[in-house]
Amino acid sequence: MKLFVEMGHAVAIALVLVSVCGIARAEAVLDNWRFETGEDGVVTASLYATNKLITGGGALSYSPILTIACRANGEPHWTEWLQLNDGVSASRKITMSVTVDQGSKFDESWSVGPRGRTLVRDGADGIRRLAAANRLQLSWRFGLLSGRGEADFNLSGFGEAVNQVAGNCNADPP
């Protein structure tokens, strides 16, 4: 009888450890993501690029930030944007070269935000294309003579981040 009680305790402890480790692993996957809910009801998850870009003056470097956003009661419902420290010279639209995992490179049209420091793409299809991805590479021109920018993102936890944003936004994931 004592053997069964001890085995029961061992099994219970093992189940607790598996549960805690599973939660810890899920939290560790989301550690790279930063979540916010704005006063306007926009729910976001943001991720820093794994690479650095050098600012126009060359003295500082920074990592671009990819953000996915959901508007609970607005249109477009889902949006993604890339935040930069240096602005692009385009005024309305920019062509972004996109590579998901090791797939083929394709071009998308992104809108240029205020002061050219935010590149925006509206629609759930942009979020949906990344659902099973591990890596995202974005490339764009800063201007006619000022070269290209590139951002490389490790998308670990992307699905969990989208689900958390959707849950906080009271929306279905794309």
Side-chain angles (χ1 to χ4, degrees):
M1 182 71 171
K2 185 176 178 182
L3 179 63
F4 289 117
V5 171
E6 288 176 6
M7 282 181 49
H9 288 294
V11 169
I13 290 171
L15 288 174
V16 168
L17 286 174
V18 167
S19 174
V20 169
C21 289
I23 292 168
R25 190 171 358 124
E27 288 175 1
V29 166
L30 292 177
D31 279 347
N32 293 336
W33 292 90
R34 301 294 172 247
F35 298 90
E36 282 187 39
T37 301
E39 292 178 16
D40 56 357
V42 175
V43 180
T44 63
S46 300
L47 176 70
Y48 284 90
T50 58
N51 66 308
K52 302 270 188 201
L53 294 176
I54 297 175
T55 62
L60 300 173
S61 63
Y62 70 96
S63 292
I65 303 169
L66 176 69
T67 300
I68 55 173
C70 176
R71 288 171 186 75
N73 297 315
E75 286 297 326
H77 201 60
W78 287 92
T79 301
E80 60 186 316
W81 66 78
L82 183 67
Q83 183 179 336
L84 307 169
N85 285 2
D86 285 336
V88 298
S89 63
S91 59
R92 291 192 179 161
K93 296 280 184 182
I94 192 168
T95 299
M96 181 78 74
S97 293
V98 179
T99 306
V100 177
D101 289 331
Q102 299 301 318
S104 300
K105 199 178 269 193
F106 57 93
D107 290 340
E108 293 178 339
S109 181
W110 289 48
S111 300
V112 178
R115 294 179 290 156
R117 294 183 179 197
T118 306
L119 305 177
V120 181
R121 186 171 189 282
D122 293 326
D125 63 322
I127 309 293
R128 194 176 306 114
R129 76 172 187 274
L130 300 176
N134 294 312
R135 185 173 177 202
L136 171 66
Q137 293 174 292
L138 301 173
S139 177
W140 65 95
R141 291 197 65 76
F142 274 106
L144 188 59
L145 301 174
S146 49
R148 294 194 72 79
E150 293 185 2
D152 192 1
F153 296 94
N154 175 349
L155 296 178
S156 294
F158 184 82
E160 292 92 339
V162 170
N163 287 335
Q164 185 170 330
V165 169
N168 291 339
C169 188
N170 295 321
D172 292 328

